[in-house]
Amino acid sequence: MKPATRAGAGAGPDTLEAWLEAWYAPAYRTARLVLSNPSEAEDAVQDAFLRLWRFRDSIPEGPAARAWLYRVVVNSCFSRARSERRQGGPLGRGTGELDLPEAAPGPEEQVADDALASAVRRAVAELPEPLRVPLVLRYFAGLSEREIAIAIGRRQGTVKSRLHEARRRLGTHAALAPALWNEVAQ
Amino acid sequence: MIEERRLEAALRRAGGALPLPANGPASILRRARDEGLAPLEDDGVEPPRFGHRRLILAATAAVIVVGLSIAIPLATSSTTPTATASGLTPLPGHSSASASAGVPAASDAGGSIGAEQRAAVGGPVAPAGSSAAPAGPRTPALIASSGTLTLRVGAGSVAQDAHDLAVLAERAGGYVASASLLSAASPPSGSVVVEIPAKAFTSAISAAERLGTLRSLATSNADETTTSSNLVGELQALDDVRAQLEVLLGRTAKVSDLLAVENQIQAVETQIDQLQAAQRALGSEITYARLTVDLDTSQPSRTEVSRHGFALAWHDATTGFLGGVRYLVSISGDVVFALLLLVAAVAILALILRELLPRLRRRLL
């Protein structure tokens, strides 16, 4: 994750720019799939990158950096959700989950969207947070089960069972399953 | 169940179709500049944050447990008489008059013997199963034990039983101090005095009981700790006196003074010899317990119960079983306390690890 030339203390924004260029898109989309709300996802990713920049000296080299990134992003999403719950905002329904409403798609989304993508996002958003987060990290961000376990602070066995349950629920989702079958037929 | 490949493809497509905020990266850069973000002065690794309250609770519990585990044994050791075996302490330069002295068991051998009652006789009697109070805080108790056992045996077996007692004593590491057999008398009788190592005294009594029908048993335990300590003290004092006299001897100039000092030294040495002899005798009494076995061939009383064969075996079995139960009950308190401490320590350790391990795992990223 780190640039080839590691920046020391007081480095300029160029290094942060390189990070953003490489990781902003996947981080934002992950947060968006977890939180569903675009503005909340944007704020969560912003917090995550600022935090990463602050602690950049402690970011490990190599493949572990990716898991570190997503860990910070996921924690940032949780923090925003908790903060909203405490303030009684639209997220603060007291359910203990990231029960976020799907924002109405803007014009650009309507152009880029299609039925399957919409169905997938809706189905994922309906999953409870303990199942949604591992699912997104595994099948969108591409993390391994071990990396997911470290990212969310759970055991690998727990991650495996949650992924299994998430897939099972998606498989019986009324809207998703037909959309997937139609996709296959096409 | 959705196939993983299909789900992955669908999710990537769904996520990839999401548009990015127009000014997302720019806003981050702007905020970084505005806040003047710089790395922390330390290595940038965020220290793990514990649940402070849980940590304080766990630390307090650990301190209490450790404190109790240290304090209670100290408190009980100062009030509980020790029962460690120890010989008499010889003076430097004097021959040793001691051997290890065991602490014999209590006076009562347990069980019913019919009409006759067991009685404790003799001098100062120590509590059953424990040693007498030590003379000082660190002085182990020195107990001199003795016993008198009366057995009913067959009229023609007095000599054989006396022989068996001798064999029993030798096997226990002891010896026959004296034996008196009146085989020609009517009725025949005998008396055997054996010296048994103190630690084998109880088992020797049990073995001797099997030679006949038990009529009576009396044991006594005398605490000789103070006597022993006094002997040691007196010997030390006399040794000091002798040393001073020897120094004085070297300074005498006149023959008359020389003779006077020599007489004094001789008197002191005589006293030392006497005390050493007493010390050896006391050591022998503590090392060996004296058991006097009287062999009686008179007819049993109607109320007396005769035990042989299975009845005797049953008696021994129940006695042994009850003895074992008594022992288990006596140590149960210590065992339960140790188990409680262990459970508390394990619970505290598990609580601390439950807080630490997840955070350590994250830090290992």
Side-chain angles (χ1 to χ4, degrees), chain B residues 14 53 57 94 111 138 152 179 184 213 224 254 276 291 349:
Chain B
R53 187 178 300 176
L57 184 65
H94 294 287
R138 287 176 178 256
R152 176 170 294 108
T213 303
E224 302 291 352
K254 300 181 186 176
Q276 281 183 335
L291 177 64
L349 189 65

Side-chain angles (χ1 to χ4, degrees), chain B residues 180-232:
Chain B
S180 169
L181 303 179
L182 301 174
S183 302
S186 178
S189 64
S191 179
V192 179
V193 180
V194 294
E195 297 281 350
I196 306 289
K199 56 190 173 209
F201 189 47
T202 305
S203 57
I205 291 176
S206 300
E209 286 180 6
R210 296 193 192 99
L211 296 178
T213 303
L214 182 64
R215 288 197 61 190
S216 68
L217 172 65
T219 59
S220 69
N221 298 301
D223 183 8
E224 302 291 352
T225 310
T226 304
T227 307
S228 169
S229 299
N230 291 340
L231 279 173
V232 170

Side-chain angles (χ1 to χ4, degrees), chain B residues 227-268:
Chain B
T227 307
S228 169
S229 299
N230 291 340
L231 279 173
V232 170
E234 290 175 22
L235 280 167
Q236 183 65 51
L238 288 173
D239 199 51
D240 293 340
V241 168
R242 190 180 71 168
Q244 291 171 0
L245 288 172
E246 286 175 349
V247 170
L248 191 62
L249 188 69
R251 295 177 186 170
T252 54
K254 300 181 186 176
V255 174
S256 58
D257 292 340
L258 180 70
L259 291 174
V261 173
E262 281 185 347
N263 287 337
Q264 288 289 329
I265 291 175
Q266 192 169 4
V268 168

Side-chain angles (χ1 to χ4, degrees), chain B residues 5 7 49 54 59 62 113 116 119 137 148 167 173 268 270 277 284 354:
Chain B
R5 281 189 302 111
L7 176 60
R49 285 193 296 268
R54 280 193 188 180
I113 58 170
E116 280 75 10
T148 302
V167 170
V268 168
T270 300
S284 177
R354 200 169 63 180

Side-chain angles (χ1 to χ4, degrees), chain A residues 46 51 55 60 114 139 183, chain B residues 4 13-14 31 44 46 365:
Chain A
Q46 187 177 96
R51 183 181 177 82
F55 293 102
D114 63 351
Y139 297 111
E183 179 75 5
Chain B
E4 283 194 277
R13 183 172 169 179
R31 190 172 156 189
E46 188 181 31
L365 260 184

Side-chain angles (χ1 to χ4, degrees), chain B:
Chain B
M1 182 74 73
I2 289 185
E3 194 184 41
E4 283 194 277
R5 281 189 302 111
R6 193 177 300 171
L7 176 60
E8 185 173 356
L11 201 52
R12 283 183 186 270
R13 183 172 169 179
L18 290 169
L20 299 174
N23 298 317
S27 62
I28 293 175
L29 290 170
R30 185 169 51 248
R31 190 172 156 189
R33 273 196 298 270
D34 292 344
E35 295 183 7
L37 282 180
L40 298 178
E41 291 303 319
D42 60 7
D43 61 359
V45 177
E46 188 181 31
R49 285 193 296 268
F50 300 102
H52 292 293
R53 187 178 300 176
R54 280 193 188 180
L55 183 63
I56 291 172
L57 184 65
T60 304
V63 167
I64 291 173
V65 167
V66 169
L68 283 175
S69 62
I70 293 172
I72 289 177
L74 282 176
T76 54
S77 66
S78 64
T79 56
T80 302
T82 57
T84 55
S86 170
L88 301 176
T89 306
L91 290 176
H94 294 287
S95 59
S96 173
S98 67
S100 61
V103 178
S107 58
D108 190 359
S112 169
I113 58 170
E116 280 75 10
Q117 301 293 322
R118 299 173 190 271
V121 299
V125 179
S130 68
S131 62
R138 287 176 178 256
T139 307
L142 303 173
I143 307 296
S145 300
S146 62
T148 302
L149 177 67
T150 303
L151 295 175
R152 176 170 294 108
V153 298
S157 67
V158 171
Q160 181 60 42
D161 292 332
H163 172 74
D164 293 342
L165 279 169
V167 170
L168 186 154
E170 288 176 10
R171 283 181 184 168
Y175 57 94
V176 176
S178 67
S180 169
L181 303 179
L182 301 174
S183 302
S186 178
S189 64
S191 179
V192 179
V193 180
V194 294
E195 297 281 350
I196 306 289
K199 56 190 173 209
F201 189 47
T202 305
S203 57
I205 291 176
S206 300
E209 286 180 6
R210 296 193 192 99
L211 296 178
T213 303
L214 182 64
R215 288 197 61 190
S216 68
L217 172 65
T219 59
S220 69
N221 298 301
D223 183 8
E224 302 291 352
T225 310
T226 304
T227 307
S228 169
S229 299
N230 291 340
L231 279 173
V232 170
E234 290 175 22
L235 280 167
Q236 183 65 51
L238 288 173
D239 199 51
D240 293 340
V241 168
R242 190 180 71 168
Q244 291 171 0
L245 288 172
E246 286 175 349
V247 170
L248 191 62
L249 188 69
R251 295 177 186 170
T252 54
K254 300 181 186 176
V255 174
S256 58
D257 292 340
L258 180 70
L259 291 174
V261 173
E262 281 185 347
N263 287 337
Q264 288 289 329
I265 291 175
Q266 192 169 4
V268 168
E269 285 184 343
T270 300
Q271 292 181 55
I272 289 175
D273 290 340
Q274 289 170 349
L275 289 180
Q276 281 183 335
Q279 196 180 44
R280 282 193 293 274
L282 185 60
S284 177
E285 286 179 19
I286 292 170
T287 305
Y288 285 88
R290 171 164 292 198
L291 177 64
T292 303
V293 182
D294 295 326
L295 302 174
D296 181 17
T297 61
S298 58
Q299 291 299 315
S301 63
R302 295 179 94 181
T303 57
E304 187 172 299
V305 176
S306 168
R307 286 199 187 86
H308 293 282
F310 180 76
L312 182 62
W314 179 256
H315 167 72
D316 292 341
T318 53
T319 302
F321 176 75
L322 290 173
V325 170
R326 276 196 293 269
Y327 173 72
L328 286 176
V329 170
S330 69
I331 66 167
S332 63
D334 293 340
V335 171
V336 168
F337 180 72
L339 280 176
L340 283 176
L341 282 181
L342 185 64
V343 167
V346 168
I348 291 167
L349 189 65
L351 185 65
I352 292 174
L353 285 178
R354 200 169 63 180
E355 292 291 328
L356 277 177
L357 279 180
R359 299 175 195 276
L360 283 174
R361 275 204 291 267
R362 286 187 213 121
R363 288 189 64 181
L364 286 174
L365 260 184

